[in-house]
């Protein structure tokens, strides 16, 4: 049977290469490396650099011992033969403490020197002092050897002296119960992390001296209590002086004592007299060592006789002494004496006269001579540390010598005043202990540890530091890691001849390989650190049939080559390499185009300190060409028939593009760069080819997979930098209108991946000029309107990537000049009302003025102010007397029309090529005020103001007037054509206190007991328009004068049933050192209640003696008080009756000094000026009518 015909098989669609579907395959096999940066802790682990297919590598690092704890470092990723590099920072962590060294600095304590101080140093088992403080807690325990109940625990041990040295300090004060008897106590410090104790140590026992016993006074007299412990030079102590007031019915009203002190050992630093007593400045003779103090009566009413009666320990004064710095060590048995010169009771009976006072010191009993014991400052101990306690001997590998400087602190027994002292190298010397073959000492004072190529072992040792001043010493533990062995390794130990390469250069060419060095570090009793790659530290040297270029081994000729290390003092396991004639061929030239690299894993931010710590870093390469002008770099390596690979130098390459979408450039640094071309299209395939060139011949060729993934353009957006334009020859282009005649075109393209890019300067942007409207400059992207353009709109169309868009702005032109008058003075903006009629101002002979406003009108109906650039001419009306004059000299307006008589004024206004005539009518009709507002800006805002100034101060008012035609003069006192008095009158209801003048000023002349009304009125007789403000007239004092009462508001202001009189002086020049001010008042209205002090430290106040006065006295020769309102004190008067009553007074004396003791000014027996005034008071508070008709209350 006949079979039906069959169709030929269909052609399957072309298959895309796998790398077009998986971008990681585009960079498969790229040669990358990971290492730590220069001066970074850590070493690579040998053979740990392994591929992470398809696009990455990883490497492991360990043995973080090349730098001390807390060192900074970075892990670095690079691509061979390109400029790509990335880095990531890390910090080396700190170890936990495992041991502690304690030093008790205060071996003997007293009841007056009771603070125990202990300095301690934390270390780990290798001697590192850069210790972790995370979770660290230290506890100090003090246990009495004689009383089981006396145990003190303190965690106040966190004071950090030196973080790198592990130095910290504990301090704790012992209570008096520890010094009841002489004893000792144990001192122990424990260190823990969380709840786990890691170290503890005991210091020597602390000696506790029994507190001295002193009998109390049992009869009238005085006692001074000195330091009850030995002191050091420059120490300070406070000596209180107390009195037994005698018989139970005696009040100690007046007293005097003298303290004599030994100036060889003591200097009086400061003193304080008890507040209960009035006291003139004490007498002090520093040269003779004498201090005399007097208590001359009580500070009443704060203290009464009951406060100083039947007292056995009444504090009179407190003196602070400083031990002179030059004081010699030893006892001073007569350091202080106390003489009780006088003790007088309330009946003026002197019941103690010239008696010796009791002086309590560090000895028990009652004595009259106070002894002081000065101790020398002694060196207690040294504490020291090395900058790097664990050192790696890399000099044995041929690297430079490693060094570590020793830092030394001296601890003195004067712990409270002298912290641990950092010593310079002139005060100590260092020696090595058990350091033979480990390290040497060098540098100043032989205190720099040097680990050099002469070292031949590893292990633990120490540096002993010896003080050359006090003999103390300290031991600094050190650990040295020594390379027990080092081996040279080559990736390929057989180097074949490369077939074809030698033919090109007419000589044999052999394979190359990469070298590395791997060491094992250890030492006596130390754990072995194996597989430590030290390639970056060593220098390779080849012999025989090989040579070395940095870390690359090159075959030279057939035979055997040996690679060893240059400058290494340790035994090296050399690498033997064979160079053979057996040929290999290049089976592939691997070409990779990449655009960047990135870490996918890096070190922890803080690398833990333990020796076993390892960190892993992973690096991946990326190819991403998704934009025009995107850039990548090329890496090329050759693969040989024996499986070996060799990176090809960029200098031996020739790279070319196989597509118009890519451009190849040889960069200045020698790398081969590929850039996506303008106009490229999306494509994927072997688009870049590289050729290995030797001796002008191509040895091998290969291509790089490239995926150009350009997104599709989906939108085109145009913008112009100006919102409107004008022809360049139009008036609208001139100053001040300044409409632009050109604009910048910006072009943006949106893509289907959501991105938006600018293409303004891209040559593919097509823009056509429109004749008679605008020209387009593609080089600058500027659209320029042509002169004489006839279009009304500038519409710009552009095309790119098959997309078209248009943007338009209006073309405007100058149309006309407009002019009008607006009120003068005032707002001249477009919002100001037009004023076409000028009338007489109220009842004055003066007319309203108008100011010209000119506007350039454009075709889009917008206006631009051009008043400053117009020409204006007043047109004549044929009359000999002009209607008005045009003033061009006014400060706040360009043109001001000032009417002369009634009529019509016309003004010709010209701008550019346009003119306009504006006219205004001038009328004799009145414009009347409807309201005015009076204000005193210098005094603030509001209807009630404080007029608080010195006598004669004038403040200018401001008066705003509103008229019935809507005109407003913001300040009628500053009009430049109407005198103030022609329009306004000003009135004060009390000119004895505040005087008004015709110009609107108000002058303060005196105080007043109630608010003073100040009024402004329109000057016309028939006008009722006015406004008032109320002021509190309150004088401030001139230099040398004294003020009494409140600083703000009315001078005297009653509060409840009392009136407080604040007393202040003007001592703005110099410093106030003394004053005596007497206040006078009506005793039928007031009685004195209390006083309070001012700025001078010595202050007394007398009330009711006589009952109609108060006396304030202050003296302080050392005073620095200066100012225009210094508080001398305050007197509170109790109100006994309602009245308006005078309060006055006299400045008995007021003295001002300069910086030294020269007198700058003295006021003597002068009456108060600013302080004198009447007060209105009402018994029991109550209410009175205020000036505004309201009610004021007393509270």
């Amino acid at each position: 049977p006949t079979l039906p015909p069959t169709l030929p098989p269909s052609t399957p669609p072309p298959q895309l290469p796998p790398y077009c579907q998986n971008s990681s395959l585009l960079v498969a096999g790229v040669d990358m490396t990971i290492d730590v940066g220069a001066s970074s802790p850590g070493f690579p682990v040998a053979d740990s650099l392994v591929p992470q297919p398809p696009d990455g590598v990883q490497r492991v690092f360990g043995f973080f011992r090349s730098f001390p704890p807390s060192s900074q470092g970075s892990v670095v990723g690079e691509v061979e033969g390109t400029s790509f590099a990335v880095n990531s920072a890390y910090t080396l962590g700190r170890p936990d403490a495992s041991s502690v060294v304690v030093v008790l600095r205060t071996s003997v304590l007293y009841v007056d020197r009771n603070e125990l101080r202990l300095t301690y140093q934390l270390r780990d088992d290798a001697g590192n002092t850069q210790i972790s403080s995370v979770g660290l807690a230290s506890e100090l325990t003090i246990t009495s050897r004689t009383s089981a109940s006396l145990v003190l625990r303190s965690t106040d041990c966190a004071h950090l002296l030196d973080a790198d040295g592990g130095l910290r300090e504990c301090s704790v004060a012992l209570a008096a119960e520890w010094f009841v008897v002489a004893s000792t106590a144990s001192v122990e410090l424990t260190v823990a992390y969380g709840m786990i104790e890691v170290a503890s140590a005991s210091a020597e026992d602390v000696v506790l001296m029994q507190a001295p016993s002193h009998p109390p006074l049992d009869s009238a007299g005085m006692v001074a209590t000195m330091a009850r412990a030995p002191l050091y030079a420059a120490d300070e102590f406070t000596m209180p002086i107390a009195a037994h007031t005698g018989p139970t019915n005696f009040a100690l009203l007046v007293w005097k004592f003298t303290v004599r002190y030994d100036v060889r050992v003591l200097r009086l630093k400061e003193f304080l007299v008890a507040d209960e007593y009035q006291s003139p400045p004490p007498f002090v003779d520093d040269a003779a060592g004498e201090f005399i103090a007097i208590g001359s009566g009580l500070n009443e009413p704060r203290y009464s006789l009951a406060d100083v009666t039947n007292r056995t320990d009444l504090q009179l004064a407190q003196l602070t002494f400083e031990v002179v710095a030059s004081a010699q060590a030893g006892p001073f048995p007569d350091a202080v004496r106390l003489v009780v010169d006088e003790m007088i009771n309330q009946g003026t009976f002197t019941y103690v006269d010239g008696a010796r006072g009791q002086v309590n010191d560090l000895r028990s009993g009652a004595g009259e001579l106070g002894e002081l014991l000065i101790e020398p400052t002694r060196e207690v101990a040294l504490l020291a540390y090395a900058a790097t306690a664990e050192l790696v001997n890399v000099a044995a590998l041929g690297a430079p010598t490693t060094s570590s400087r020793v830092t030394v602190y001296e601890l003195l027994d004067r712990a409270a005043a002298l912290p641990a002292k950092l010593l310079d190298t002139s005060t100590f010397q260092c020696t090595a202990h058990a350091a033979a073959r480990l390290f040497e000492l060098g540098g100043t004072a032989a205190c720099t540890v040097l680990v050099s190529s002469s070292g031949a072992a590893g292990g633990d040792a120490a540096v002993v530091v010896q003080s050359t001043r006090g003999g103390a010493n300290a031991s600094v533990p050190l650990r040295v890691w020594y390379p027990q062995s080092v081996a040279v390794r080559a990736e390929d130990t057989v180097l074949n001849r490369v077939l074809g390469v030698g033919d090109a250069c007419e000589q044999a060419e052999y394979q190359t390989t990469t070298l590395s060095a791997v060491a094992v570090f250890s030492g006596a009793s130390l754990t072995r650190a194996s597989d430590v790659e030290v390639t970056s530290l060593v220098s390779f040297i080849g012999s025989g049939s090989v040579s070395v270029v940095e870390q690359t081994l090159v075959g030279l000729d057939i035979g055997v080559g040996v690679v060893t290390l240059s400058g290494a003092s340790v035994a090296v396991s050399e690498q033997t390499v064979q160079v053979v004639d057996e040929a290999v061929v290049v089976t592939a030239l691997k070409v990779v185009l990449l655009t960047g690299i990135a870490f996918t894993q890096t070190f922890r931010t803080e690398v833990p300190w333990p020796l076993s710590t390892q960190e892993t870093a992973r690096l991946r390469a990326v190819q991403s060409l998704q934009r025009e002008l995107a850039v990548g770099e090329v890496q090329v390596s050759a693969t040989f028939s024996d499986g070996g690979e060799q990176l090809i130098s960029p200098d031996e390459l020739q790279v070319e593009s196989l597509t118009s979408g890519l451009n190849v450039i040889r960069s200045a640094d020698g790398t081969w760069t590929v850039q996506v071309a303008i106009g490229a299209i999306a494509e994927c395939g072997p688009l870049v080819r590289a050729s290995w060139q030797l001796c002008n011949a191509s040895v091998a060729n290969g291509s790089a997979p490239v995926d150009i993934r350009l997104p599709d353009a989906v939108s085109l957006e145009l913008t112009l930098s100006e919102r409107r334009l004008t022809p360049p020859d139009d008036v609208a282009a001139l100053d001040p209108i300044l409409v632009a005649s050109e604009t910048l075109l910006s072009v943006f393209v949106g893509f289907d991946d959501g991105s938006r890019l600018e293409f303004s300067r891209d040559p593919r942007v097509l823009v056509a000029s429109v004749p008679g409207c605008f020209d387009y400059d593609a080089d600058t992207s500027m659209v320029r309107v042509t002169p004489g353009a006839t279009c009304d709109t500038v519409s710009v169309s552009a095309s790119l990537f098959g997309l078209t868009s248009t943007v338009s702005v209006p073309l405007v032109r100058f149309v006309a000049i407009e002019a009008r008058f607006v009120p003068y003075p005032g707002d001249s903006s477009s919002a100001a009302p037009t004023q076409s009629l000028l009338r007489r101002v109220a009842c004055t002979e003066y007319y309203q003025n108008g100011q010209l406003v000119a506007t350039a009108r454009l075709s889009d109906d917008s206006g631009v102010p051009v008043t400053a650039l117009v020409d204006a001419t007043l047109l004549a009306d044929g009359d000999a007397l002009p209607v008005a004059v045009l003033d061009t000299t006014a400060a706040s307006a360009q043109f001001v029309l000032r009417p002369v008589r009634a009529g019509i004024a016309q003004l010709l206004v010209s701008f550019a090529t346009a003119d306009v005539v504006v006219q205004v009518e001038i009328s004799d009709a009145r414009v009347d005020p409807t309201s005015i507002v009076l204000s005193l800006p210098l005094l603030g805002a509001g209807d009630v103001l404080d007029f608080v100034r010195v006598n004669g101060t004038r403040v200018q008012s401001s008066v705003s007037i509103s008229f019935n035609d809507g005109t407003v003069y913001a300040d009628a006192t500053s009009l430049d054509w109407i005198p103030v008095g022609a329009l306004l009158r000003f009135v004060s209801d009390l000119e004895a206190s505040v005087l008004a003048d015709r110009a609107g000023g108000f002058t303060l002349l005196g105080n007043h007991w109630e608010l003073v009304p100040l009024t402004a009125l329109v000057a016309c007789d028939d006008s009722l328009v006015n406004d008032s403000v109320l002021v509190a007239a309150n004088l401030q004092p001139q230099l040398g004068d004294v003020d009494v009462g409140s600083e703000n508001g009315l001078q005297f202001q009653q509060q409840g049933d009392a009136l407080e009189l604040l007393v202040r002086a003007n001592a703005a020049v110099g410093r106030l050192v003394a004053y005596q001010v007497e206040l006078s008042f009506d005793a039928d209205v007031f009685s004195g209640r209390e006083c309070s002090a001012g700025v001078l430290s010595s202050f007394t106040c007398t009330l009711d003696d006589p009952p109609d006065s108060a006396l304030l006295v202050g003296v302080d020769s050392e005073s620095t008080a200066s100012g225009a309102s210094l508080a001398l004190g305050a007197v509170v008067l109790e109100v006994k009756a309602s009245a308006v009553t005078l309060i006055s007074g006299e400045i008995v004396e007021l003295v001002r000094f300069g910086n030294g003791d020269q007198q700058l000014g003295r006021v003597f027996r002068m009456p108060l000026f600013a302080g004198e005034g009447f007060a209105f008071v009402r018994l029991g508070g109550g209410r009175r009518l205020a000036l505004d008709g309201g009610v004021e209350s007393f509270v």
Side-chain angles (χ1 to χ4, degrees), residues 403-441:
S403 64
S404 177
R405 182 176 60 86
V406 174
T407 298
V408 182
Y409 282 91
E410 180 185 44
L411 304 180
L412 304 176
D413 60 354
R414 190 184 174 206
L418 300 176
K421 180 181 179 182
L422 184 65
L423 292 182
D424 60 56
T425 53
S426 65
T427 57
F428 60 88
Q429 194 72 28
C430 293
T431 56
H433 176 71
R437 303 176 67 211
L438 270 68
F439 60 81
E440 303 165 339
L441 293 177

XYZ file of all heavy atoms in Angstrom, residues 403-441:
298
model
N 59.118 44.317 68.383
C 59.466 44.947 69.653
C 58.214 45.180 70.485
O 57.104 45.244 69.973
C 60.185 46.283 69.417
O 59.330 47.203 68.777
N 58.442 45.346 71.803
C 57.348 45.620 72.738
C 57.911 46.465 73.872
O 58.863 46.060 74.548
C 56.763 44.321 73.289
O 55.754 44.586 74.239
N 57.320 47.646 74.082
C 57.815 48.565 75.103
C 57.161 48.276 76.447
O 55.963 47.995 76.522
C 57.536 50.007 74.678
C 58.062 51.060 75.640
C 57.821 52.455 75.070
N 56.412 52.682 74.853
C 55.576 53.135 75.779
N 56.031 53.399 76.993
N 54.301 53.330 75.516
N 57.953 48.364 77.508
C 57.461 48.149 78.862
C 57.090 49.495 79.479
O 57.878 50.444 79.444
C 58.516 47.437 79.728
C 58.053 47.354 81.189
C 58.791 46.045 79.182
N 55.876 49.574 80.016
C 55.386 50.773 80.695
C 55.371 50.505 82.198
O 54.940 49.433 82.640
C 53.968 51.129 80.203
O 54.036 51.410 78.805
C 53.423 52.339 80.936
N 55.811 51.492 82.988
C 56.000 51.290 84.426
C 55.237 52.354 85.204
O 55.306 53.551 84.874
C 57.503 51.342 84.790
C 57.692 51.082 86.281
C 58.281 50.326 83.958
N 54.515 51.918 86.233
C 53.830 52.820 87.155
C 54.435 52.665 88.546
O 54.716 51.554 89.000
C 52.340 52.506 87.232
C 51.530 53.021 86.070
C 51.312 52.240 84.954
C 50.994 54.308 86.101
C 50.568 52.716 83.885
C 50.246 54.798 85.034
C 50.042 53.994 83.932
O 49.301 54.476 82.880
N 54.620 53.787 89.225
C 55.098 53.795 90.606
C 53.924 54.062 91.529
O 53.125 54.965 91.289
C 56.159 54.887 90.776
C 56.716 54.966 92.193
C 57.672 56.147 92.353
O 57.348 57.259 91.852
O 58.728 55.969 92.974
N 53.825 53.291 92.612
C 52.753 53.438 93.595
C 53.356 53.967 94.883
O 54.295 53.367 95.436
C 52.051 52.105 93.844
C 51.478 51.405 92.604
C 50.811 50.096 93.000
C 50.492 52.304 91.893
N 52.826 55.097 95.376
C 53.302 55.716 96.608
C 52.275 55.516 97.715
O 51.093 55.276 97.457
C 53.543 57.210 96.384
C 54.518 57.562 95.243
C 54.594 59.067 95.063
C 55.892 56.975 95.508
N 52.733 55.648 98.976
C 51.808 55.401 100.084
C 50.867 56.577 100.323
O 49.883 56.442 101.039
C 52.569 55.043 101.367
C 53.521 56.148 101.827
O 53.670 57.150 101.093
O 54.122 56.002 102.906
N 51.140 57.756 99.747
C 50.205 58.879 99.857
C 49.136 58.704 98.776
O 49.035 59.445 97.809
C 50.948 60.203 99.697
C 50.089 61.406 100.043
C 50.797 62.711 99.783
N 49.892 63.827 99.989
C 50.011 65.015 99.410
N 51.014 65.238 98.580
N 49.150 65.972 99.649
N 48.313 57.691 98.967
C 47.426 57.225 97.897
C 46.301 58.193 97.601
O 45.868 58.337 96.463
C 46.857 55.854 98.258
N 45.780 58.870 98.629
C 44.609 59.716 98.418
C 44.907 60.884 97.504
O 44.051 61.320 96.729
C 44.090 60.216 99.762
N 46.130 61.428 97.590
C 46.465 62.614 96.803
C 47.274 62.295 95.560
O 47.281 63.079 94.611
C 47.235 63.610 97.673
N 47.981 61.175 95.549
C 48.876 60.866 94.437
C 48.454 59.558 93.777
O 48.668 58.478 94.324
C 50.325 60.754 94.931
C 50.913 62.008 95.586
C 52.302 61.734 96.102
C 50.929 63.164 94.600
N 47.828 59.614 92.604
C 47.472 58.372 91.904
C 48.723 57.676 91.398
O 49.851 58.179 91.534
C 46.599 58.881 90.747
C 47.059 60.283 90.505
C 47.453 60.824 91.841
N 48.506 56.500 90.815
C 49.631 55.774 90.231
C 50.354 56.669 89.235
O 49.734 57.309 88.384
C 49.140 54.503 89.551
N 51.671 56.750 89.344
C 52.472 57.689 88.555
C 53.187 56.949 87.439
O 53.897 55.973 87.670
C 53.478 58.389 89.452
C 54.358 59.397 88.729
C 55.354 60.039 89.687
C 56.261 61.032 88.971
N 57.259 61.605 89.901
N 52.998 57.442 86.208
C 53.687 56.875 85.053
C 55.132 57.338 85.082
O 55.417 58.540 85.043
C 53.002 57.320 83.765
C 53.541 56.737 82.462
C 53.309 55.230 82.433
C 52.846 57.394 81.278
N 56.057 56.408 85.166
C 57.473 56.749 85.317
C 58.143 56.950 83.965
O 57.797 56.300 82.976
C 58.209 55.653 86.081
C 57.837 55.487 87.572
C 58.677 54.393 88.187
C 58.024 56.789 88.331
N 59.121 57.856 83.954
C 59.961 57.960 82.752
C 61.142 57.020 82.915
O 61.459 56.536 84.005
C 60.413 59.404 82.519
C 61.232 59.960 83.671
O 62.247 59.354 84.026
O 60.833 61.009 84.217
N 61.822 56.781 81.810
C 62.846 55.718 81.793
C 64.080 56.051 82.607
O 64.932 55.181 82.802
C 63.259 55.433 80.345
O 63.639 56.676 79.716
C 62.089 54.839 79.562
N 64.174 57.283 83.123
C 65.354 57.628 83.922
C 65.250 57.125 85.348
O 66.216 57.225 86.102
C 65.547 59.149 83.922
O 64.465 59.787 84.577
N 64.097 56.589 85.734
C 63.884 56.208 87.138
C 63.749 54.697 87.332
O 63.372 54.268 88.409
C 62.632 56.907 87.683
O 61.518 56.563 86.861
C 62.808 58.421 87.676
N 64.009 53.907 86.303
C 63.954 52.457 86.484
C 64.885 51.777 85.481
O 65.325 52.380 84.494
C 62.526 51.916 86.363
C 61.867 52.173 85.036
C 62.011 51.283 83.977
C 61.091 53.305 84.839
C 61.403 51.518 82.765
C 60.473 53.551 83.630
C 60.636 52.658 82.596
N 65.152 50.508 85.737
C 66.024 49.705 84.880
C 65.389 48.328 84.707
O 64.718 47.830 85.618
C 67.423 49.571 85.508
C 68.490 49.049 84.560
C 68.900 50.057 83.509
O 68.821 51.253 83.743
N 69.306 49.580 82.344
N 65.581 47.716 83.537
C 64.974 46.423 83.256
C 66.034 45.354 83.041
O 67.108 45.619 82.459
C 64.089 46.497 82.008
S 62.621 47.525 82.236
N 65.743 44.139 83.498
C 66.576 42.967 83.229
C 65.662 41.819 82.812
O 64.489 41.777 83.188
C 67.385 42.562 84.471
O 66.482 42.335 85.563
C 68.383 43.654 84.844
N 66.231 40.905 82.036
C 65.456 39.759 81.551
C 65.581 38.602 82.535
O 66.630 38.388 83.159
C 65.947 39.340 80.176
N 64.511 37.831 82.658
C 64.500 36.666 83.534
C 64.021 35.464 82.724
O 62.943 35.476 82.142
C 63.566 36.912 84.725
C 63.436 35.715 85.619
N 64.451 35.272 86.427
C 62.377 34.874 85.833
C 64.031 34.205 87.092
N 62.775 33.951 86.750
N 64.850 34.414 82.711
C 64.526 33.171 81.989
C 64.232 33.445 80.518
O 63.355 32.819 79.934
C 63.351 32.459 82.662
N 64.961 34.431 79.941
C 64.677 34.847 78.577
C 65.736 34.409 77.584
O 65.711 34.838 76.425
C 64.532 36.374 78.532
N 66.681 33.599 77.997
C 67.741 33.164 77.092
C 67.145 32.514 75.847
O 66.243 31.682 75.941
C 68.660 32.182 77.816
N 67.601 32.949 74.690
C 67.205 32.443 73.371
C 65.771 32.868 72.999
O 65.302 32.524 71.938
C 67.322 30.922 73.315
C 68.704 30.390 73.650
C 68.727 28.885 73.664
N 68.508 28.357 72.316
C 67.908 27.205 72.046
N 67.423 26.479 73.038
N 67.767 26.774 70.806
N 65.084 33.626 73.897
C 63.728 34.064 73.572
C 63.711 35.493 73.042
O 63.150 35.763 71.989
C 62.813 33.964 74.804
C 62.072 32.631 74.998
C 63.049 31.526 75.344
C 61.017 32.783 76.084
N 64.350 36.405 73.808
C 64.344 37.805 73.387
C 65.523 38.529 74.005
O 66.230 38.004 74.882
C 63.026 38.503 73.768
C 62.722 38.514 75.250
C 63.313 39.455 76.094
C 61.834 37.605 75.798
C 63.028 39.478 77.440
C 61.543 37.627 77.152
C 62.147 38.561 77.980
N 65.739 39.753 73.570
C 66.766 40.630 74.119
C 66.090 41.899 74.610
O 64.929 42.168 74.288
C 67.799 40.984 73.041
C 68.469 39.768 72.411
C 69.199 40.144 71.127
O 68.854 41.199 70.545
O 70.088 39.402 70.724
N 66.827 42.675 75.404
C 66.341 43.970 75.870
C 67.171 45.074 75.247
O 68.397 44.955 75.115
C 66.411 44.069 77.394
C 65.461 43.149 78.175
C 65.680 43.299 79.669
C 64.011 43.462 77.822
